[in-house]
Coordinates of all heavy atoms in Angstrom, one line a residue:
S12 N 5.8 96.6 190.5 CA 6.7 97.7 190.7 C 7.5 97.5 192.0 O 7.0 97.0 193.0 CB 5.9 99.0 190.8 OG 6.8 100.1 191.2
L13 N 8.8 97.8 191.9 CA 9.7 97.7 193.1 C 9.9 99.0 193.8 O 10.7 99.0 194.7 CB 11.0 97.1 192.6 CG 11.0 95.7 192.0 CD1 12.4 95.3 191.5 CD2 10.4 94.7 192.8
N14 N 9.1 100.0 193.5 CA 9.3 101.3 194.1 C 9.1 101.3 195.6 O 9.7 102.1 196.3 CB 8.4 102.3 193.5 CG 8.8 102.6 192.1 OD1 9.9 102.5 191.7 ND2 7.8 103.1 191.2
G15 N 8.3 100.4 196.1 CA 8.0 100.4 197.6 C 9.1 99.6 198.4 O 9.0 99.6 199.6
L16 N 10.1 99.0 197.7 CA 11.1 98.3 198.4 C 12.2 99.2 198.8 O 12.5 100.2 198.2 CB 11.6 97.2 197.5 CG 10.6 96.2 197.0 CD1 11.2 95.1 196.1 CD2 9.9 95.5 198.2
H17 N 12.9 98.8 199.9 CA 14.0 99.6 200.4 C 15.3 98.8 200.2 O 15.3 97.6 200.4 CB 13.8 99.9 201.9 CG 12.6 100.6 202.2 ND1 12.4 102.0 202.1 CD2 11.4 100.2 202.7 CE1 11.2 102.4 202.4 NE2 10.5 101.3 202.8
M18 N 16.3 99.5 199.9 CA 17.7 98.9 199.8 C 18.3 98.8 201.1 O 18.3 99.7 201.9 CB 18.6 99.8 198.9 CG 19.9 99.3 198.7 SD 20.1 98.2 197.3 CE 20.0 99.3 196.0
L19 N 18.8 97.6 201.5 CA 19.4 97.3 202.7 C 20.9 97.2 202.5 O 21.4 96.4 201.6 CB 18.9 96.1 203.4 CG 17.4 96.1 203.7 CD1 17.0 94.7 204.2 CD2 17.0 97.2 204.7
E20 N 21.7 97.9 203.2 CA 23.2 98.0 203.0 C 23.8 96.7 203.6 O 23.4 96.2 204.6 CB 23.7 99.2 203.8 CG 25.2 99.4 203.5 CD 25.7 100.7 204.2 OE1 24.9 101.5 204.7 OE2 26.9 100.8 204.3
L21 N 24.8 96.2 202.8 CA 25.5 95.0 203.2 C 26.6 95.5 204.2 O 27.8 95.7 203.8 CB 26.2 94.3 202.0 CG 25.2 93.5 201.2 CD1 25.9 92.9 200.0 CD2 24.6 92.4 202.0
I22 N 26.3 95.7 205.4 CA 27.2 96.1 206.4 C 28.1 95.0 206.9 O 27.8 93.8 206.7 CB 26.4 96.8 207.6 CG1 25.4 95.8 208.2 CG2 25.8 98.1 207.2 CD1 24.6 96.2 209.4
E23 N 29.2 95.3 207.5 CA 30.2 94.4 208.0 C 29.6 93.2 208.8 O 30.0 92.0 208.5 CB 31.3 95.0 208.8 CG 32.5 94.1 209.1 CD 33.3 93.6 207.9 OE1 33.3 94.3 206.9 OE2 33.8 92.5 208.0
P24 N 28.7 93.4 209.7 CA 28.1 92.3 210.4 C 27.4 91.3 209.5 O 27.4 90.1 209.8 CB 27.2 92.9 211.4 CG 27.7 94.3 211.6 CD 28.3 94.7 210.3
V25 N 26.9 91.7 208.4 CA 26.2 90.8 207.5 C 27.2 89.9 206.9 O 27.0 88.7 206.8 CB 25.5 91.6 206.4 CG1 25.0 90.6 205.3 CG2 24.3 92.4 206.9
W26 N 28.4 90.4 206.5 CA 29.4 89.6 205.9 C 30.0 88.6 206.9 O 30.2 87.4 206.6 CB 30.6 90.4 205.4 CG 30.2 91.2 204.2 CD1 29.7 92.5 204.1 CD2 30.2 90.8 202.8 NE1 29.5 92.9 202.8 CE2 29.8 91.8 202.0 CE3 30.5 89.6 202.2 CZ2 29.6 91.7 200.6 CZ3 30.4 89.5 200.8 CH2 30.0 90.5 200.1
E27 N 30.1 89.0 208.2 CA 30.6 88.2 209.2 C 29.6 87.0 209.5 O 30.0 85.9 209.7 CB 30.9 89.0 210.5 CG 32.1 89.9 210.3 CD 32.2 90.9 211.4 OE1 31.4 90.9 212.4 OE2 33.2 91.7 211.4
L28 N 28.3 87.4 209.6 CA 27.3 86.4 209.9 C 27.2 85.4 208.7 O 27.1 84.2 208.9 CB 26.0 87.1 210.1 CG 24.8 86.2 210.4 CD1 25.0 85.3 211.6 CD2 23.5 87.0 210.5
A29 N 27.4 85.9 207.5 CA 27.3 85.0 206.3 C 28.5 84.0 206.4 O 28.3 82.8 206.0 CB 27.4 85.8 205.0
D30 N 29.7 84.4 206.8 CA 30.8 83.6 206.9 C 30.6 82.5 207.9 O 30.8 81.3 207.7 CB 32.1 84.4 207.2 CG 33.3 83.6 207.1 OD1 33.5 82.8 206.2 OD2 34.1 83.7 208.1
E31 N 30.1 82.9 209.1 CA 29.8 82.0 210.2 C 28.7 81.0 209.8 O 28.8 79.8 210.0 CB 29.3 82.8 211.4 CG 28.9 81.9 212.5 CD 28.3 82.7 213.7 OE1 28.7 83.9 213.9 OE2 27.3 82.2 214.3
L32 N 27.6 81.5 209.1 CA 26.5 80.6 208.7 C 26.9 79.7 207.6 O 26.5 78.5 207.7 CB 25.3 81.5 208.3 CG 24.1 80.7 207.9 CD1 23.6 79.9 209.0 CD2 23.0 81.7 207.4
R33 N 27.7 80.1 206.7 CA 28.2 79.2 205.7 C 29.0 78.0 206.3 O 28.8 76.9 205.9 CB 29.2 79.9 204.7 CG 29.7 79.1 203.6 CD 30.6 79.9 202.7 NE 31.2 79.1 201.7 CZ 32.3 78.4 201.8 NH1 33.0 78.4 203.0 NH2 32.8 77.7 200.9
Y34 N 29.8 78.3 207.3 CA 30.6 77.2 208.0 C 29.6 76.3 208.7 O 29.7 75.1 208.6 CB 31.5 77.9 209.0 CG 32.3 76.9 209.8 CD1 33.3 76.2 209.3 CD2 32.0 76.7 211.1 CE1 34.0 75.2 210.0 CE2 32.6 75.7 211.9 CZ 33.7 75.0 211.3 OH 34.3 74.1 212.1
R35 N 28.6 76.9 209.5 CA 27.7 76.0 210.2 C 26.8 75.1 209.3 O 26.6 74.0 209.6 CB 26.8 76.9 211.1 CG 27.4 77.4 212.3 CD 26.5 78.1 213.3 NE 25.1 78.2 212.9 CZ 24.4 79.4 213.0 NH1 25.0 80.5 213.4 NH2 23.1 79.4 212.6
M36 N 26.4 75.7 208.2 CA 25.5 75.0 207.2 C 26.4 73.9 206.6 O 25.9 72.8 206.3 CB 24.9 75.9 206.2 CG 23.9 76.9 206.8 SD 22.5 76.2 207.6 CE 21.6 75.5 206.3
R37 N 27.6 74.2 206.2 CA 28.5 73.2 205.6 C 28.7 72.0 206.5 O 28.8 70.9 206.1 CB 29.8 73.9 205.2 CG 30.8 73.0 204.6 CD 30.5 72.9 203.1 NE 31.7 72.3 202.4 CZ 31.7 71.0 202.0 NH1 30.7 70.2 202.1 NH2 32.7 70.6 201.4
K38 N 28.9 72.3 207.8 CA 29.1 71.2 208.8 C 27.9 70.3 208.8 O 28.0 69.1 209.1 CB 29.4 71.8 210.2 CG 30.8 72.2 210.4 CD 31.0 72.7 211.8 CE 31.0 71.6 212.8 NZ 31.4 72.0 214.1
K39 N 26.7 70.8 208.5 CA 25.5 70.0 208.5 C 25.3 69.4 207.2 O 24.3 68.7 206.9 CB 24.3 70.9 208.8 CG 24.2 71.4 210.2 CD 23.0 72.3 210.4 CE 23.0 72.7 211.9 NZ 21.7 73.4 212.2
G40 N 26.2 69.6 206.2 CA 26.1 69.0 204.9 C 25.3 69.8 203.9 O 25.0 69.3 202.8
A41 N 25.0 71.0 204.2 CA 24.2 71.9 203.3 C 25.1 72.9 202.6 O 25.8 73.7 203.3 CB 23.1 72.6 204.1
L42 N 25.2 72.8 201.3 CA 25.9 73.8 200.6 C 25.0 74.9 200.1 O 24.2 74.7 199.2 CB 26.6 73.1 199.4 CG 27.6 72.0 199.7 CD1 28.1 71.3 198.4 CD2 28.8 72.6 200.4
I43 N 25.2 76.1 200.6 CA 24.3 77.2 200.3 C 25.1 78.2 199.5 O 26.2 78.6 199.9 CB 23.8 77.9 201.6 CG1 23.2 76.9 202.6 CG2 22.9 79.1 201.3 CD1 22.0 76.3 202.2
P44 N 24.6 78.6 198.3 CA 25.3 79.6 197.5 C 25.5 80.9 198.3 O 24.7 81.4 199.1 CB 24.4 79.8 196.3 CG 23.5 78.6 196.3 CD 23.3 78.2 197.7
V45 N 26.7 81.5 198.0 CA 27.0 82.8 198.7 C 26.0 83.9 198.6 O 25.6 84.5 199.6 CB 28.4 83.3 198.3 CG1 28.7 84.7 198.9 CG2 29.5 82.3 198.8
P46 N 25.4 84.1 197.4 CA 24.4 85.1 197.3 C 23.2 84.8 198.2 O 22.6 85.8 198.8 CB 24.0 85.1 195.8 CG 25.2 84.6 195.1 CD 25.8 83.6 196.0
D47 N 22.8 83.6 198.3 CA 21.7 83.2 199.2 C 22.0 83.5 200.7 O 21.2 84.0 201.4 CB 21.2 81.8 199.0 CG 20.5 81.5 197.7 OD1 20.3 82.5 197.0 OD2 20.2 80.4 197.4
L48 N 23.3 83.2 201.0 CA 23.7 83.5 202.4 C 23.7 84.9 202.7 O 23.2 85.4 203.8 CB 25.1 82.9 202.6 CG 25.3 81.4 202.7 CD1 26.7 81.0 202.6 CD2 24.7 81.0 204.1
L49 N 24.1 85.8 201.7 CA 24.1 87.2 202.0 C 22.7 87.8 202.1 O 22.5 88.6 202.9 CB 24.9 87.9 200.8 CG 26.4 87.7 200.9 CD1 27.1 88.2 199.6 CD2 27.0 88.3 202.1
I50 N 21.8 87.3 201.2 CA 20.4 87.7 201.3 C 19.8 87.3 202.7 O 19.2 88.2 203.3 CB 19.6 87.1 200.2 CG1 20.1 87.7 198.8 CG2 18.1 87.3 200.4 CD1 19.5 87.0 197.6
A51 N 20.0 86.1 203.1 CA 19.4 85.6 204.3 C 20.0 86.4 205.5 O 19.3 86.8 206.4 CB 19.7 84.1 204.5
C52 N 21.3 86.6 205.5 CA 22.0 87.3 206.6 C 21.7 88.7 206.7 O 21.6 89.3 207.7 CB 23.5 87.0 206.5 SG 24.0 85.3 206.9
T53 N 21.4 89.3 205.5 CA 20.9 90.7 205.5 C 19.5 90.8 206.2 O 19.3 91.7 207.0 CB 20.8 91.3 204.1 OG1 22.2 91.2 203.5 CG2 20.3 92.7 204.0
A54 N 18.7 89.8 205.8 CA 17.3 89.8 206.5 C 17.5 89.6 208.0 O 16.7 90.2 208.7 CB 16.5 88.7 205.8
L55 N 18.3 88.7 208.4 CA 18.6 88.5 209.8 C 19.1 89.7 210.5 O 18.6 90.1 211.6 CB 19.5 87.3 210.0 CG 19.0 85.9 209.8 CD1 20.1 84.9 209.6 CD2 18.1 85.5 210.9
A56 N 20.1 90.4 209.9 CA 20.7 91.5 210.5 C 19.7 92.7 210.7 O 19.7 93.4 211.7 CB 21.9 92.0 209.7
Y57 N 18.8 92.8 209.7 CA 17.8 93.9 209.8 C 16.5 93.5 210.4 O 15.6 94.3 210.4 CB 17.6 94.5 208.4 CG 18.8 95.4 207.9 CD1 19.8 94.8 207.1 CD2 18.9 96.7 208.2 CE1 20.9 95.6 206.7 CE2 19.9 97.5 207.7 CZ 20.9 96.9 207.0 OH 22.0 97.7 206.6
G58 N 16.3 92.3 210.7 CA 15.1 91.8 211.3 C 13.9 91.8 210.3 O 12.8 92.0 210.7
C59 N 14.2 91.5 209.1 CA 13.2 91.4 208.0 C 12.7 90.0 207.8 O 13.4 89.1 208.0 CB 13.8 92.0 206.7 SG 14.4 93.7 206.8
E60 N 11.5 89.9 207.3 CA 10.9 88.7 206.8 C 11.4 88.5 205.4 O 11.4 89.5 204.6 CB 9.4 88.6 206.9 CG 8.8 87.3 206.5 CD 7.3 87.3 206.8 OE1 6.7 88.3 206.7 OE2 6.8 86.2 207.1
L61 N 11.7 87.3 205.0 CA 12.2 87.1 203.6 C 11.2 86.3 202.8 O 10.8 85.2 203.2 CB 13.5 86.3 203.7 CG 14.2 85.9 202.4 CD1 14.6 87.1 201.6 CD2 15.4 85.0 202.6
M62 N 10.7 86.9 201.7 CA 9.8 86.2 200.8 C 10.6 85.5 199.8 O 11.4 86.2 199.1 CB 8.8 87.3 200.2 CG 7.7 86.7 199.4 SD 6.4 87.8 199.0 CE 7.3 89.2 198.3
H63 N 10.3 84.3 199.5 CA 11.1 83.5 198.6 C 10.4 82.3 197.9 O 9.3 81.9 198.3 CB 12.4 83.0 199.3 CG 12.1 81.9 200.2 ND1 12.2 80.6 199.9 CD2 11.6 81.8 201.5 CE1 11.8 79.8 200.9 NE2 11.5 80.5 201.9
Q64 N 11.2 81.8 197.0 CA 10.8 80.5 196.3 C 12.0 79.6 196.1 O 12.2 79.0 195.1 CB 10.2 80.7 194.9 CG 8.8 81.3 194.9 CD 8.3 81.4 193.5 OE1 9.0 81.7 192.6 NE2 7.0 81.1 193.4
D65 N 12.9 79.6 197.2 CA 14.2 78.9 197.0 C 14.4 78.0 198.2 O 14.3 78.4 199.4 CB 15.2 80.0 197.0 CG 16.6 79.5 196.7 OD1 17.0 78.4 197.3 OD2 17.4 80.1 196.0
R66 N 14.7 76.7 198.0 CA 14.8 75.7 199.0 C 16.0 76.1 200.0 O 16.0 75.7 201.1 CB 15.0 74.4 198.4 CG 16.3 74.2 197.6 CD 16.4 72.8 197.0 NE 17.5 72.8 196.0 CZ 18.7 72.6 196.3 NH1 19.1 72.4 197.6 NH2 19.7 72.5 195.4
H67 N 17.0 76.8 199.5 CA 18.1 77.2 200.4 C 17.7 78.0 201.5 O 18.2 77.9 202.7 CB 19.2 77.9 199.6 CG 19.8 77.1 198.5 ND1 19.8 77.4 197.2 CD2 20.5 75.9 198.6 CE1 20.4 76.5 196.5 NE2 20.9 75.5 197.3
F68 N 16.7 78.9 201.3 CA 16.2 79.8 202.4 C 15.4 78.9 203.4 O 15.4 79.2 204.6 CB 15.4 80.9 201.9 CG 16.2 81.9 201.0 CD1 15.9 82.1 199.7 CD2 17.3 82.5 201.5 CE1 16.6 82.9 198.9 CE2 18.1 83.4 200.8 CZ 17.7 83.6 199.4
D69 N 14.7 77.9 203.0 CA 14.0 77.0 203.9 C 15.1 76.3 204.8 O 14.8 76.2 206.0 CB 13.2 75.9 203.1 CG 12.1 76.5 202.4 OD1 11.5 77.5 202.8 OD2 11.7 76.0 201.3
A70 N 16.2 75.9 204.2 CA 17.2 75.2 205.0 C 17.8 76.2 206.0 O 18.1 75.8 207.2 CB 18.3 74.7 204.1
I71 N 18.1 77.4 205.6 CA 18.6 78.4 206.5 C 17.7 78.7 207.6 O 18.1 78.8 208.8 CB 19.0 79.7 205.7 CG1 20.2 79.4 204.8 CG2 19.4 80.8 206.7 CD1 20.4 80.5 203.8
A72 N 16.4 78.8 207.3 CA 15.4 79.1 208.3 C 15.3 78.0 209.4 O 14.9 78.3 210.5 CB 14.0 79.4 207.7
R73 N 15.5 76.8 209.0 CA 15.5 75.7 210.0 C 16.6 75.8 210.9 O 16.6 75.2 212.0 CB 15.5 74.3 209.2 CG 14.2 74.0 208.6 CD 14.1 72.6 208.1 NE 15.1 72.3 207.0 CZ 14.8 72.4 205.7 NH1 13.6 72.9 205.3 NH2 15.7 72.2 204.8
S74 N 17.7 76.5 210.6 CA 18.9 76.5 211.4 C 19.2 77.9 212.1 O 20.1 78.1 212.8 CB 20.1 76.2 210.6 OG 20.0 74.9 210.1
T75 N 18.3 78.9 211.8 CA 18.5 80.2 212.3 C 17.1 80.8 212.6 O 16.1 80.2 212.3 CB 19.1 81.1 211.2 OG1 18.2 81.3 210.2 CG2 20.4 80.6 210.7
P76 N 17.1 82.0 213.2 CA 15.8 82.6 213.5 C 15.2 83.4 212.3 O 14.3 84.2 212.4 CB 16.1 83.6 214.7 CG 17.5 83.8 214.6 CD 18.2 82.6 214.0
L77 N 15.7 83.1 211.1 CA 15.2 83.8 209.9 C 13.7 83.6 209.7 O 13.2 82.4 209.8 CB 16.0 83.2 208.6 CG 15.5 83.8 207.3 CD1 15.9 85.3 207.2 CD2 16.2 83.0 206.1
K78 N 13.0 84.7 209.5 CA 11.6 84.6 209.3 C 11.4 84.6 207.8 O 11.9 85.4 207.1 CB 10.9 85.9 209.9 CG 11.0 85.9 211.4 CD 10.4 87.2 211.9 CE 11.5 88.3 211.9 NZ 11.2 89.6 212.4
I79 N 10.6 83.6 207.3 CA 10.4 83.5 205.9 C 8.9 83.4 205.6 O 8.1 83.0 206.4 CB 11.1 82.2 205.3 CG1 10.6 80.9 206.0 CG2 12.6 82.3 205.4 CD1 11.1 79.7 205.4
L80 N 8.7 83.8 204.3 CA 7.3 83.7 203.8 C 7.5 83.0 202.4 O 8.1 83.6 201.5 CB 6.7 85.0 203.6 CG 5.3 85.0 202.8 CD1 4.3 84.2 203.6 CD2 4.8 86.4 202.6
R81 N 7.2 81.7 202.3 CA 7.4 81.0 201.1 C 6.3 81.3 200.1 O 5.1 81.1 200.5 CB 7.5 79.5 201.4 CG 7.9 78.7 200.1 CD 8.2 77.3 200.5 NE 9.4 76.7 200.0 CZ 9.9 76.8 198.8 NH1 9.3 77.5 197.9 NH2 11.0 76.1 198.4
V82 N 6.6 81.7 198.9 CA 5.7 82.0 197.9 C 5.5 80.8 197.0 O 6.6 80.3 196.5 CB 6.1 83.3 197.1 CG1 5.1 83.6 196.0 CG2 6.3 84.4 198.0
T83 N 4.3 80.4 196.7 CA 4.1 79.3 195.8 C 3.6 79.8 194.5 O 2.9 80.8 194.4 CB 3.1 78.3 196.4 OG1 1.9 78.9 196.7 CG2 3.7 77.6 197.6
E84 N 3.9 79.1 193.4 CA 3.5 79.5 192.1 C 2.0 79.3 192.0 O 1.5 78.3 192.5 CB 4.2 78.7 191.0 CG 5.7 79.1 191.0 CD 6.4 78.3 189.8 OE1 5.8 78.2 188.8 OE2 7.5 77.9 190.1
P85 N 1.3 80.2 191.3 CA -0.2 80.0 191.1 C -0.6 78.8 190.3 O 0.1 78.3 189.6 CB -0.6 81.3 190.5 CG 0.6 82.0 190.0 CD 1.7 81.3 190.6

């Protein structure tokens, strides 16, 4: 159930951070899909830990203070 989850608003600083991060990651040779950038930047803006199973978030976490919790399949 997702009832315990909270919706986080995509405020203007999230969009600005995503644009900046996309540029920085691209310079390092990493092509990150825009939805992944927005998710990561939302977590960064709100100071949330991001639970995931996506290699793109690992790459973002290596270049930012993004806190991640990688979930592995059972």
